[in-house]
Amino acid sequence: MGCMLIDPSQKYKPYTPLKLDGRTWPTKTFTKAPIWLSTDLRDGNQSLANPMTVDQKLIFFRLLVKSGFKEIEVAYPAASDTEFSFVRYLIEHNEIPDDVWIQVMTPAREELITRTFEAVAGAKRVIFHMFNATCPKFRKVVFKYSKEQTIGLAVRYTILVRELIDQYSASHGTTFRYQYSPETFSQTEVQFSVAICEAVKTAWGRACTGNERITFNLPATVEVGPPNHYADQVEYFCTHISERERIIVSLHPHNDRGTAIAAAELAILAGADRIEGCLFGNGERTGNVDIVNLALNLYTQGIPPHLDFSDLQSVIDVVTQCNDIPIHPRHPYAGELVFTAFAGSHQDAVKKGFEEQAQRHARNLTNGEPQMWDVPYLPLDPADLGCTYDALIRVNSQSGKGGIAYLVKQHLHLDLPRKMQIAFYRVIQKIADGEAREITVEDITTAFRSTYYFGGSKYEGRLALKSFSVTVEVSPEPLGTGEAPEERRRFDGTVSVDGMLRIIRGDGNGSISSLLDAIRTHLDIDLTLREYSEHTIGVGENAKSASYIELVSTADIVKETRGALQSWWGVGVDSDIAASGLHAVLSAVNNAIGDRVLPELKLNIGFDPTIGQADIANALVNSLKLQLPRRFQPSFFEVVRRAAHDSGGQISCKDLTKLFQDTYGYETETAKQCRFELQSFDLAKSNVSGRRQITAELLVDGDVRSISAEGNGPLSAGLSALQTQICGTLSIKEYIEHSVGEGAEVKAVSFVELVYEVEGRTRKESAWGVGSDSDITASGLQAIMKAASSLDVVTSRSV
């Protein structure tokens, strides 16, 4: 059996409610903030396992001043040398602003009262706080005092306090206020509380209005009843104490029942003027009332609290450092999770609330109306406390599509269509269920980029758009009289397919349909557009378009296509709206094809006039990284056309690459032996200034010959060496080179066009040669030899 009693009434007595006729506090509302007093440095400090050092108390004091507190209880100076020294330090180092009252407290004992006055000597404004316990349990058990003796104690030491105030005011010019606390007020007979305070007020004899009012602090030293009971006690006190206008009624609620906030708020409505408490509720047992919580409660009702928590995290940092107590993640306003929604329904409401509020604020701004805050689940704008919106929505297995879509919008600036939200939600749910943990923003954005191939080359899919053009073509078919001719769009583009650049073309009534036609024609991917939407990201010249595409498999019946159960989404962003749509198409296509094997792309040569020299050159850029010179392209194009003739004008990219290598002997082990091949060479300066001499081993029609020659440079010297072995004249018509590869793997590729003239022939002959080598001179000489080998050169028999 457990330890808790089945019938706790056999052990615990309920509180005794007041019979308060005509109570008024239930119908009142807040109109202004109370006077605040921080007791962090006294009541809060005495409750710590490791009380603050002087340095920590100074840091905390400066925070309180910065936050706007005008009344701060700084110490119980008679309790220890540390407390005493801290008060002296504040005074002697001018740490106390002129408009701030420091409060010091002491029990009703002569030696402690005297010591406390010594601590505040020289201060400008001091609230002297004296207390003695008044409830029956303390009177009878702890002190064994009657009611009369308890009142006599309070009166006797009030008179002493008055005398010492006169003395210190005269000697140091200090302005004093007096505060008396009937400690354990919440457990004291309320009539007796009024009686002892009346006696103290009479003994004080100086209660006036304004700053000369006497303060009666009414502590819920232990919270023993519900907040409405405390409010009744306070209202009774306020309506039965005499000269109410000369009194500040102050509250000091503790949180033993967890209702200190409610008790403080109801007691203010019951007539109190002032609240003592701590930042975030530190204090004995369950703590004092939380002033941050109370102040921000007022703030959310449009009432200025006169305390500034604009940088709440800095306040948290100081308090947790000095108190060595963490803030609970669910602590009102200050907890790490208080502005966070995990649940899907909450997330969806927050997301929609922000969207509606943005529209409402825009209208209000135009109409000159206030931009009121009104977002579901968020009574306060986190930005007012210096917080960002980053933690508003966090994702776990309980989260929904709305919250995930909100985070995507916040961090990727993408406002996903509802159906795409559902699709991506499934992706995140799978991760959340598998990981069994909170899913971070980084998890979500990375998953989005990976799923939709979004975010640059790092997330590029199997298909990626490299370049494109969309042209308008007028339909050649005649229409009816007076009708404008139908316009079609032609897509011409280069797409990377599994790392290989491919040229594809298609026709449609728009750019998207023409791209879908191109991938259907060239890659056998038959998909149909079902949904498209777009929006703008940013404004002005930096604005971009975001496009969202839903594709489905094409069926024979249109209705079946539109109603397909399976679909694939894609997203694209570009400064050009057409490009963003095309990127979105390929994003969706990548999702659709998965790891399906795609057909090899074949180029149509001869029968399709849209395939030209530039297309052939682009294919070689991808396969061999070669940039064919513009004058070289027509020559090779003719080679390709002849090779493709027997296959109906088609040639695959793979066969195209092999054709180039075989034709020009470019980096292939199967290349046939050339008529002219450079075996070795050495270059040196000639005796003639500015000229170069080459000594080479040259293979001529299978014979190795040693040759020396000169020229203006390495290539002309090599050409001169070759010239000694032939009849006729060879000349360089064009020479172009570029590098291929990176770092240690870089090499030079040279293109040389030679022209050959020989006596007896009426026409000149020309041919291209291609060479590659890590040495640029060697690559150029190889290109010369290969070009010469392609010509019908007559060798010199005299050599």
Side-chain angles (χ1 to χ4, degrees):
M1 183 175 178
C3 298
M4 292 183 66
L5 302 177
I6 295 175
D7 182 9
S9 67
Q10 299 302 307
K11 186 173 184 178
Y12 300 102
K13 295 180 180 180
Y15 77 98
T16 304
L18 285 180
K19 186 177 184 304
L20 185 63
D21 296 327
R23 60 173 60 83
T24 62
W25 62 261
T27 59
K28 292 182 179 179
T29 57
F30 283 94
T31 58
K32 64 178 182 178
I35 302 167
W36 307 108
L37 176 126
S38 162
T39 187
D40 289 271
L41 301 175
R42 199 277 304 172
D43 198 349
N45 185 52
Q46 76 175 19
S47 68
L48 299 175
N50 297 301
M52 287 182 266
T53 64
V54 170
D55 288 341
Q56 287 176 317
K57 291 190 74 170
L58 181 59
I59 292 171
F60 210 130
F61 177 81
R62 289 171 177 169
L63 169 68
L64 294 170
V65 170
K66 180 180 179 182
S67 299
F69 283 92
K70 301 304 179 185
E71 298 184 8
I72 303 171
E73 190 165 50
V74 294
Y76 178 173
S80 68
D81 290 339
T82 300
E83 294 282 276
F84 187 94
S85 298
F86 176 65
V87 179
R88 295 309 309 157
Y89 183 93
L90 292 178
I91 297 168
E92 293 167 4
H93 289 80
N94 297 315
E95 289 282 349
I96 308 168
D98 290 345
D99 62 344
V100 171
W101 294 79
I102 62 168
Q103 181 168 300
V104 288
M105 58 88 67
T106 178
R109 287 175 53 186
E110 182 173 352
E111 69 277 14
L112 300 182
I113 293 171
T114 301
R115 179 67 169 165
T116 302
F117 272 101
E118 292 171 358
V120 298
K124 295 178 181 177
R125 296 187 174 191
V126 176
I127 301 172
F128 196 92
H129 176 200
M130 189 189 79
F131 68 91
N132 66 304
T134 57
C135 72
K137 187 62 64 177
F138 274 81
R139 294 197 313 260
K140 297 173 183 178
V141 176
V142 179
F143 300 118
K144 302 188 184 305
Y145 278 3
S146 64
K147 288 183 177 180
E148 292 75 16
Q149 287 174 311
T150 303
I151 292 175
L153 180 73
V155 168
R156 181 167 68 254
Y157 289 114
T158 295
I159 293 170
L160 175 61
V161 168
R162 186 184 64 187
E163 293 171 352
L164 290 171
I165 280 177
D166 289 342
Q167 177 183 327
Y168 277 84
S169 295
S171 61
H172 294 90
T174 302
T175 300
F176 284 95
R177 283 166 42 195
Y178 182 46
Q179 173 172 312
Y180 170 72
S181 291
E183 192 190 9
T184 65
F185 167 82
S186 57
Q187 296 165 281
T188 301
E189 309 93 319
V190 69
Q191 299 84 355
F192 181 64
S193 295
V194 172
I196 196 169
C197 287
E198 287 284 11
V200 167
K201 178 160 64 73
T202 300
W204 174 246
R206 298 174 178 178
C208 295
T209 57
N211 281 338
E212 295 184 355
R213 288 177 292 174
I214 187 173
T215 299
F216 288 129
N217 187 50
L218 310 179
T221 309
V222 179
E223 189 179 33
V224 294
N228 63 298
H229 176 60
Y230 186 56
D232 280 349
Q233 290 177 312
V234 172
E235 181 162 333
Y236 183 96
F237 183 93
C238 290
T239 55
H240 287 76
I241 193 78
S242 63
E243 300 180 296
R244 176 66 181 85
E245 71 282 359
R246 299 187 177 195
I247 297 167
I248 295 173
V249 175
S250 181
L251 309 173
H252 188 110
H254 277 254
N255 197 41
D256 298 88
R257 292 169 56 96
T259 59
I261 293 292
E265 291 184 331
L266 297 185
I268 287 291
L269 297 178
D273 309 294
R274 179 175 181 260
I275 294 178
E276 296 187 357
C278 293
L279 302 186
F280 310 121
N282 181 39
E284 297 283 7
R285 302 177 310 282
T286 57
N288 292 281
V289 72
D290 179 358
I291 288 185
V292 176
N293 194 338
L294 286 169
L296 294 178
N297 284 353
L298 291 175
Y299 183 81
T300 62
Q301 302 302 304
I303 299 172
H306 306 302
L307 293 176
D308 185 4
F309 299 119
S310 297
D311 186 1
L312 189 59
Q313 187 56 52
S314 293
V315 178
I316 293 170
D317 291 343
V318 171
V319 173
T320 54
Q321 173 194 346
C322 292
N323 289 346
D324 195 23
I325 297 176
I327 301 295
H328 192 281
R330 298 294 183 188
H331 193 104
Y333 302 109
E336 178 188 355
L337 299 177
V338 296
F339 297 121
T340 299
F342 284 103
S345 60
H346 289 213
Q347 293 174 343
D348 188 58
V350 170
K351 173 181 178 291
K352 291 176 179 176
F354 267 105
E355 292 170 347
E356 186 277 335
Q357 179 167 271
Q359 298 171 1
R360 174 164 38 84
H361 280 183
R363 293 194 302 269
N364 292 349
L365 183 63
T366 302
N367 299 331
E369 299 172 355
Q371 298 191 345
M372 305 303 290
W373 176 265
D374 189 8
V375 176
Y377 297 111
L378 293 174
L380 180 144
D381 184 354
D384 289 355
L385 304 182
C387 302
T388 67
Y389 295 146
D390 290 347
L392 283 181
I393 289 177
R394 289 163 62 176
V395 175
N396 60 18
S397 61
Q398 304 302 307
S399 302
K401 66 181 186 303
I404 295 167
Y406 172 85
L407 293 175
V408 171
K409 185 175 182 180
Q410 291 297 306
H411 295 274
L412 297 179
H413 311 295
L414 300 174
D415 192 3
L416 306 184
R418 182 179 179 278
K419 288 175 64 179
M420 189 176 183
Q421 293 178 25
I422 296 171
F424 185 54
Y425 167 71
R426 297 192 189 103
V427 174
I428 298 302
Q429 274 296 99
K430 186 175 181 180
I431 296 173
D433 290 340
E435 298 284 345
R437 62 173 176 86
E438 180 185 348
I439 304 302
T440 66
V441 170
E442 184 178 359
D443 292 331
I444 292 170
T445 55
T446 299
F448 186 89
R449 293 180 187 279
S450 300
T451 301
Y452 299 108
Y453 308 96
F454 176 79
S457 58
K458 180 179 179 181
Y459 298 96
E460 197 168 85
R462 294 180 63 190
L463 275 62
L465 185 65
K466 296 302 181 182
S467 63
F468 77 95
S469 66
V470 177
T471 55
V472 178
E473 295 184 347
V474 178
S475 173
E477 298 180 5
L479 300 176
T481 305
E483 292 186 33
E486 181 182 353
E487 291 185 344
R488 301 283 290 171
R489 300 293 189 273
R490 163 155 287 200
F491 171 88
D492 291 272
T494 301
V495 175
S496 175
V497 181
D498 293 331
M500 301 287 288
L501 291 180
R502 296 189 176 188
I503 298 100
I504 61 174
R505 291 182 172 84
D507 297 298
N509 56 13
S511 58
I512 290 174
S513 61
S514 61
L515 174 56
L516 288 172
D517 180 63
I519 64 174
R520 183 181 302 112
T521 301
H522 294 276
L523 297 172
D524 196 24
I525 301 171
D526 195 1
L527 298 171
T528 298
L529 175 69
R530 183 160 72 179
E531 187 168 322
Y532 168 80
S533 63
E534 58 88 21
H535 65 79
T536 302
I537 300 174
V539 294
E541 60 183 18
N542 295 321
K544 292 185 177 182
S545 177
S547 297
Y548 307 92
I549 294 284
E550 185 189 20
L551 299 180
V552 294
S553 295
T554 305
D556 294 334
I557 303 174
V558 174
K559 185 176 181 180
E560 291 181 0
T561 299
R562 300 299 299 173
L565 297 178
Q566 185 178 27
S567 68
W568 300 275
W569 280 91
V571 59
V573 172
D574 199 280
S575 55
D576 175 60
I577 187 171
S580 73
L582 297 177
H583 284 299
V585 168
L586 292 184
S587 168
V589 171
N590 279 316
N591 272 319
I593 62 175
D595 57 2
R596 182 203 312 176
V597 177
L598 297 178
E600 185 179 6
L601 178 69
K602 293 184 181 295
L603 300 174
N604 292 310
I605 308 298
F607 294 95
D608 185 349
T610 61
I611 298 295
Q613 300 168 15
D615 301 321
I616 300 300
N618 285 338
L620 290 177
V621 168
N622 178 65
S623 62
L624 296 175
K625 312 302 181 190
L626 294 182
Q627 300 170 15
L628 304 189
R630 185 177 59 83
R631 284 177 47 82
F632 180 92
Q633 293 178 23
S635 177
F636 181 57
F637 186 65
E638 288 303 315
V639 174
V640 175
R641 290 182 63 182
R642 289 194 298 271
H645 181 270
D646 294 337
S647 60
Q650 288 193 335
I651 188 170
S652 69
C653 289
K654 180 179 179 180
D655 289 342
L656 176 71
T657 301
K658 187 175 185 303
L659 177 64
F660 178 87
Q661 291 178 306
D662 291 344
T663 301
Y664 299 102
Y666 180 77
E667 296 188 347
T668 175
E669 297 177 357
T670 60
K672 63 182 180 179
Q673 189 179 58
C674 295
R675 291 185 64 196
F676 306 101
E677 291 187 7
L678 191 65
Q679 300 290 297
S680 64
F681 73 94
D682 182 58
L683 282 172
K685 291 182 178 180
S686 171
N687 293 329
V688 180
S689 178
R691 290 175 66 79
R692 303 295 296 276
Q693 182 174 5
I694 188 171
T695 302
E697 294 288 327
L698 188 64
L699 186 69
V700 180
D701 289 336
D703 295 330
V704 177
R705 303 178 184 182
S706 298
I707 306 167
S708 293
E710 291 187 0
N712 293 327
L715 293 188
S716 62
L719 189 63
S720 296
L722 182 59
Q723 191 73 49
T724 65
Q725 308 301 305
I726 67 171
C727 298
T729 304
L730 284 171
S731 59
I732 297 175
K733 186 174 184 180
E734 187 161 345
Y735 167 73
I736 293 175
E737 60 84 23
H738 68 81
S739 61
V740 174
E742 297 180 356
E745 303 299 322
V746 72
K747 61 184 178 182
V749 177
S750 299
F751 299 87
V752 171
E753 184 182 18
L754 291 184
V755 176
Y756 178 58
E757 297 179 82
V758 66
E759 187 176 350
R761 297 181 185 177
T762 58
R763 298 184 62 183
K764 297 178 182 179
E765 187 182 359
S766 65
W768 282 87
V770 183
S772 66
D773 199 279
S774 57
D775 176 61
I776 189 172
T777 299
S779 75
L781 293 174
Q782 287 177 14
I784 288 175
M785 300 304 161
K786 290 179 180 179
S789 297
S790 298
L791 296 168
D792 185 15
V793 174
V794 179
T795 58
S796 174
R797 297 182 183 277
S798 61
V799 179

